[in-house]
Amino acid sequence: PQLEVTKLDTQWIQVLSEGWATPLRGFMRETEYLQTIHFNNIKSVDGSSNQSVPIVLPITGEDKDRLKEEKSVALRYNGKVVAVVRDPEVYEMRKEERCARQWGMVHKEHPYQELVFAAGDWCLGGDLEVIERIKWEDGLDQYRLTPNELRAEFKKRKADAVFAFQLRNPIHNGHALLMTDTRRRLMERGYSNPVLLLHPLGGFTKNDDVPLNVRIEQHHAVMKEGVLDPDSTVMAIFPSPMMYAGPTEVQWHAKARIAAGATYYIVGRDPAGMKHPGTGSDIYEHTHGRKVLTMAPGLGQLSIIPFVVAAYDKTKSKMDFYDSTRHEDFLFISGTKMRTLARTGEEPPPGFMAPSAWEIMSSFYKNLAKQS
């Protein structure tokens, strides 16, 4: 029997099949699901492994009745079989309970919870066999490197430390400052060739986030202008969907990069956070992601590098680390402010973003404004 799956399901199939969620062998069975939502950990052969977000395949009641006795189920996306679930297991998913535990709040207009509530009330778990590598044929597949391919690339570059930066937004010079400063600090610790894994998230994102193809083009421009050094940077796409689950999700982002060989992980302000869809205020306290990551069980092999606040220094006409004793000298340009400038065709202050990278952003938002 076959089961038609969604684009979101297929993104998770890619995550699982490439080994980002090791030691998971497929969509979670009920025991793994319960361990995840209650403990943020799953048992593995060598003890336990951090797993803070459920990776499940929701199905409807009709599909549950149709598939519950089957020994294997073929998963079909866009009319093509992409994977097979072996020895499947069907169990109930209480959506409000899942949302309350994963997000710490329940709101049907939260972008990922909207998908949870729209999907079936049951889950199909089991070992996953993928027919062939998941490809999206969008001109970006060459950037979708698996953990093993990334490890091979770091080895080829003779990296003695790998520091990862997870992002879903365009890069401004404050981000770049943090990344180059991290490399400098690692070299001061005695490493000779620390390599940056610039790892934009490539799965589902909410409607007002910048699309992946625009972000990749913008990141390229940043490297081409030398704001980030191409020789010590590997840019690849992280295939995971974005869940906007704050401190819970940031553990997943860090754990997945361990599979790719990262030894250091840069964590920013309010990682994986967003505004509350009902109140408009931040859902999560902005330092909690960083604090949780430094304490999270099962991530001991990863050193966490906290995000130092960077802002635009008006006296130097460039992005610099914020100095509270000179507060009036600094200008904070939020994502909202950046989008407004781009949409209206205004220029940011010089030194905020590489000019060609800003041009890409500006064109995207101007076209968006015209369409709307």
Side-chain angles (χ1 to χ4, degrees), residues 92-262:
E92 189 178 1
M93 176 176 62
R94 298 282 172 111
K95 293 172 179 179
E96 283 207 2
E97 182 197 15
R98 175 191 169 176
C99 291
R101 291 189 179 280
Q102 184 175 347
W103 283 274
M105 49 79 80
V106 180
H107 199 292
K108 291 184 179 181
E109 288 174 26
H110 179 286
Y112 200 97
Q113 288 187 33
E114 202 177 316
L115 302 175
V116 171
F117 282 104
D121 293 323
W122 302 85
C123 290
L124 182 78
D127 291 4
L128 193 67
E129 285 178 24
V130 174
I131 307 301
E132 59 184 16
R133 186 170 180 163
I134 302 292
K135 293 195 173 175
W136 298 96
E137 309 296 346
D138 57 358
L140 301 174
D141 283 327
Q142 72 267 32
Y143 300 110
R144 293 185 175 94
L145 302 180
T146 66
N148 286 342
E149 287 169 341
L150 283 166
R151 283 178 180 268
E153 180 63 27
F154 299 139
K155 190 176 179 184
K156 191 173 100 181
R157 293 191 185 216
K158 297 184 170 58
D160 56 355
V162 175
F163 58 108
F165 189 68
Q166 138 86 31
L167 66 168
R168 69 171 202 264
N169 290 312
I171 298 169
H172 59 60
N173 288 359
H175 299 134
L177 173 67
L178 181 66
M179 290 182 257
T180 51
D181 189 66
T182 298
R183 187 169 197 271
R184 178 190 62 76
R185 285 193 285 159
L186 289 173
M187 291 179 84
E188 282 176 359
R189 290 189 197 182
Y191 292 105
S192 60
N193 187 28
V195 169
L196 164 66
L197 171 58
L198 184 65
H199 218 195
L201 182 137
F204 164 83
T205 52
K206 57 189 171 69
N207 289 337
D208 61 348
D209 281 348
V210 179
L212 180 63
N213 62 321
V214 179
R215 286 185 278 132
I216 294 294
E217 189 184 358
Q218 195 267 356
H219 300 349
H220 263 302
V222 168
M223 288 197 283
K224 198 172 178 183
E225 289 209 24
V227 178
L228 287 176
D229 178 11
D231 293 336
S232 59
T233 304
V234 174
M235 183 174 72
I237 292 171
F238 177 46
S240 175
M242 186 80 197
M243 289 163 279
Y244 306 93
T248 298
E249 184 175 3
V250 77
Q251 295 172 68
W252 157 244
H253 290 168
K255 171 246 172 80
R257 274 43 181 240
I258 296 172

Side-chain angles (χ1 to χ4, degrees), residues 24-42:
L24 279 182
R25 298 165 57 89
F27 284 107
M28 288 179 174
R29 297 178 183 276
E30 188 174 39
T31 53
E32 294 164 328
Y33 171 70
L34 291 174
Q35 288 169 51
T36 297
I37 65 167
H38 287 278
F39 313 130
N40 284 5
N41 261 261
I42 51 172

